[in-house]
Amino acid sequence: MSIYTRTGDQGETSVIGGRVSKDDIRVEAYGAIDELNGFVGQARSMMHDEVFADVREQLLEIQHELFDCGSDLAYARLDEGKMKVTGDMTERLERWIDDLQAGNPPIERFILPGGTGLASVLHVCRTVCRRAERRTVTLGRSQEINGETVAYLNRLSDYFFALARTANTRLGVTDVEYIRGAKVFRD
């Protein structure tokens, strides 16, 4: 089976129910999600099983769910009966975030990406996730989309922030604080 089709050689691509330009906002949205999935795979591959077995499984589930997000956005016309992303997925992310935060040190200042290489990649996941969310919001302003996708991506970026801090904590490295500002977080 050939992996190339040549159907996109003129700058168009297929979506579910039609064809659009490769720079269409729909393609931009699910393309950013695809890029995020690549970084999630990179982060997952950097995790030592014995230290990160619990979150490796979470990240694998998230990778599948990112495919679901992209699938939901690939419909030329919203078909609610076929949408895969649900509010339950977002609620589960909230539980995971709460569990991660319980093991992280208190936060007083903004955190800069860094510490360990793994935490740095997880911060890249967070920022790419925010871009995917912005592209999805833009798409939703002009076309009907599964709104649960926006909520999921919003919470997912919070998850990556918490997980980056967890990576540093579990590996015994202190988060890199932004020191040019006041302490902004209080219990």
Side-chain angles (χ1 to χ4, degrees), residues 52-71:
F52 294 105
D54 57 337
V55 292
R56 277 181 54 83
E57 290 306 309
Q58 290 174 3
L59 289 178
L60 181 59
E61 183 66 20
I62 286 167
Q63 286 191 280
H64 286 282
E65 291 172 352
L66 287 170
F67 245 79
D68 293 340
C69 289
S71 173

Side-chain angles (χ1 to χ4, degrees), residues 8-166:
D9 290 353
Q10 300 305 310
E12 287 191 346
T13 190
S14 295
V15 295
I16 301 170
R19 287 187 65 76
V20 297
S21 173
K22 287 190 175 190
D23 65 353
D24 186 270
I25 187 59
R26 179 174 308 284
V27 179
E28 285 289 332
Y30 68 68
I33 291 169
D34 188 33
E35 182 182 353
L36 171 60
N37 211 338
F39 283 114
V40 173
Q42 181 184 14
R44 190 171 182 272
S45 73
M46 295 172 70
M47 294 180 168
H48 306 290
D49 285 331
E50 63 278 359
V51 177
F52 294 105
D54 57 337
V55 292
R56 277 181 54 83
E57 290 306 309
Q58 290 174 3
L59 289 178
L60 181 59
E61 183 66 20
I62 286 167
Q63 286 191 280
H64 286 282
E65 291 172 352
L66 287 170
F67 245 79
D68 293 340
C69 289
S71 173
D72 283 4
L73 295 180
Y75 279 86
R77 286 168 294 288
L78 183 66
D79 186 343
E80 292 189 22
K82 294 185 178 179
M83 297 296 101
K84 297 176 181 176
V85 180
T86 67
D88 291 343
M89 294 159 62
T90 303
E91 290 174 10
R92 192 207 54 238
L93 281 175
E94 291 172 352
R95 290 190 299 274
W96 287 351
I97 292 166
D98 292 343
D99 290 345
L100 291 171
Q101 284 295 93
N104 289 340
I107 184 171
E108 295 181 337
R109 298 179 185 274
F110 288 112
I111 303 294
L112 298 176
T116 63
L118 176 57
S120 297
V121 170
L122 289 164
H123 279 290
V124 171
C125 290
R126 175 184 58 79
T127 60
V128 174
C129 188
R130 287 287 187 206
R131 179 162 34 88
E133 178 188 6
R134 290 190 306 271
R135 297 293 184 266
T136 303
V137 167
T138 300
L139 174 62
R141 284 194 180 134
S142 63
Q143 300 174 42
E144 279 190 291
I145 62 168
N146 177 4
E148 294 294 342
T149 304
V150 175
Y152 179 83
L153 292 171
N154 183 280
R155 209 67 77 253
L156 184 58
S157 63
D158 296 332
Y159 171 85
F160 289 128
F161 177 79
L163 184 54
R165 296 194 69 230
T166 297

